[in-house]
Amino acid sequence: MRSTAKIRLVLIEWIDSQGPTERWNYVGDLEYGPLVCRSVGWLIKDTRDIKVVAPHLTFPHGDGADLQSCGEMTIPTSAIRKITQLDTSSKHALTV
């Protein structure tokens, strides 16, 4: 299936949960808080509820009908703090 959507290379900063711990701990010794994560990849799906980032894409010959991705990560939009589009030259921008 062909698409005319432009796939952007992005850096996404998002919040993740912590745990579970590996051993018994004294509650007073634990440090609590969310983890700040950063992921870089091609934004292959962008909806109200999720963003899907793929770090690996094929660059097919021809019209883009054979585009494949690998290592996709789905991030809930509610967990995202910031999305930064990374600078790519026109020869690296991918339109499928």
Side-chain angles (χ1 to χ4, degrees):
M1 172 183 257
R2 293 182 186 145
S3 168
T4 58
K6 187 168 185 172
I7 295 176
R8 301 180 296 142
L9 184 62
V10 296
L11 167 66
I12 297 181
E13 183 175 288
W14 55 285
I15 303 298
D16 199 3
S17 58
Q18 231 184 97
T21 58
E22 299 174 6
R23 62 186 184 283
W24 288 97
N25 295 291
Y26 291 100
V27 174
D29 292 342
L30 293 174
E31 293 185 27
Y32 299 101
L35 298 174
V36 177
C37 305
R38 290 189 179 126
S39 300
V40 173
W42 299 95
L43 187 59
I44 60 172
K45 188 167 186 82
D46 184 359
T47 71
R48 192 182 80 162
D49 297 322
I50 62 165
K51 311 298 182 213
V52 180
V53 187
H56 312 289
L57 286 184
T58 62
F59 286 85
H61 303 286
D63 61 10
D66 297 331
L67 182 67
Q68 294 182 348
S69 63
C70 181
E72 304 87 349
M73 174 181 278
T74 301
I75 304 170
T77 301
S78 60
I80 294 175
R81 284 186 163 177
K82 182 178 179 183
I83 298 178
T84 304
Q85 183 167 331
L86 300 178
D87 187 24
T88 58
S89 69
S90 61
K91 74 176 187 174
H92 293 111
L94 179 62
T95 302
V96 295

